[in-house]
Amino acid sequence: MKHIPPVVWALIGINGVIYIPALIAPEVYKTLLNHFALYFPKSDSFQVFQLISYMFLHDGRSLMHIFFNMFALASFGIPLTMVWGWKRFLIFYFTTGIGAGLVYLSVNYFHFTNAYQAFIAAGFTPESIFTFLEISVVAESQESLIALLEASSIDLSLFANLPRETVQSLSNNYDSSAVGASGAIYGILVAFGVLFPDAKLSLIFIPVPMPAKYFIPVIVLLDLFSGITGVSLFGGGIAHFAHVGGAVIGFLIMLYWKVKYPVNIQYQGLE
């Protein structure tokens, strides 16, 4: 990777600089997350600019999140920038990242709406639902949640009409947030696979080379499986539908660009 284009260096550098507080000042980084992570649209914490800012934040509890994203950005961003140029690469990067965020929010909104309708059917009013949500956000434990609910005007007997999974779905989706460049990275991965379908790829921990045209769909399908079933093969706290969303948006862009900007190139590997 001797010749990393400036635009790729810039993206890696911005992500790295923003991550520094996570290493030396966790409380400062927590404040950044509170303002610039991607929150649920009905939450008071949501701002439209978060559809961009969330791409430059990563899980402060683990270096692996930012390491793998930046490694993939360098690995696949180099050949794409060499083919497209920096302007089109940036357009693609931000479009897939924003698209991934919108897909993530759409899926959360779907689950939230289903749970919300179940609350209404159980006898809750819209006001009592959002009172419950506001309490669930600030409660620090199950015990404090119960105490705050008992002190509220909510009729607690109504919870008997709801499955625990529905209650958790409503509060979890309302209080959800996403960080990371993974959605854009999945878009880049798909673009690489379209341009270089026969390039051999493998996972770091499963070093079995496979052509990109097979490897990338398998990775995306694994994320889709995890998003639907909740069974994550790569650990918890992963926004699987953001990954899938970035991949889908990237594929749709590539279908259009492949016609508008035809290229005839061969992948020579990275030096």
Side-chain angles (χ1 to χ4, degrees), residues 1-85:
M1 297 185 186
K2 295 179 182 178
H3 309 295
I4 299 182
V7 66
V8 176
W9 270 126
L11 288 172
I12 293 173
I14 293 170
N15 278 276
V17 168
I18 292 175
Y19 192 76
I20 289 175
L23 303 176
I24 62 176
E27 289 304 314
V28 173
Y29 196 68
K30 184 177 179 180
T31 300
L32 290 176
L33 293 175
N34 289 340
H35 288 88
F36 298 107
L38 180 59
Y39 283 89
F40 188 65
K42 287 187 175 293
S43 168
D44 291 337
S45 299
F46 173 75
Q47 299 291 336
V48 173
F49 64 73
Q50 292 169 355
L51 283 165
I52 294 177
S53 63
Y54 90 102
M55 290 187 274
F56 295 96
L57 296 167
H58 289 80
D59 187 351
R61 298 165 297 179
S62 172
L63 280 169
M64 290 298 99
H65 188 205
I66 188 170
F67 171 77
F68 282 120
N69 276 350
M70 295 305 100
F71 179 79
L73 175 57
S75 298
F76 303 108
I78 294 173
L80 294 181
T81 305
M82 292 174 66
V83 173
W84 290 338

Side-chain angles (χ1 to χ4, degrees), residues 149-195:
L149 287 174
E150 289 176 343
S152 72
S153 59
I154 299 175
D155 181 359
L156 299 187
S157 66
L158 296 176
F159 282 101
N161 302 325
L162 292 167
R164 176 177 295 181
E165 293 77 13
T166 300
V167 176
Q168 290 177 338
S169 176
L170 188 80
S171 60
N172 288 347
N173 282 287
Y174 179 81
D175 194 32
S176 64
S177 63
V179 294
S182 301
I185 297 300
Y186 267 66
I188 288 172
L189 190 62
V190 167
F192 179 88
V194 172
L195 292 176

Side-chain angles (χ1 to χ4, degrees), residues 114-133:
N114 285 343
Y116 183 89
Q117 293 302 325
F119 267 70
I120 293 295
F124 286 83
T125 64
E127 293 76 15
S128 64
I129 292 174
F130 280 97
T131 298
F132 161 68
L133 289 172

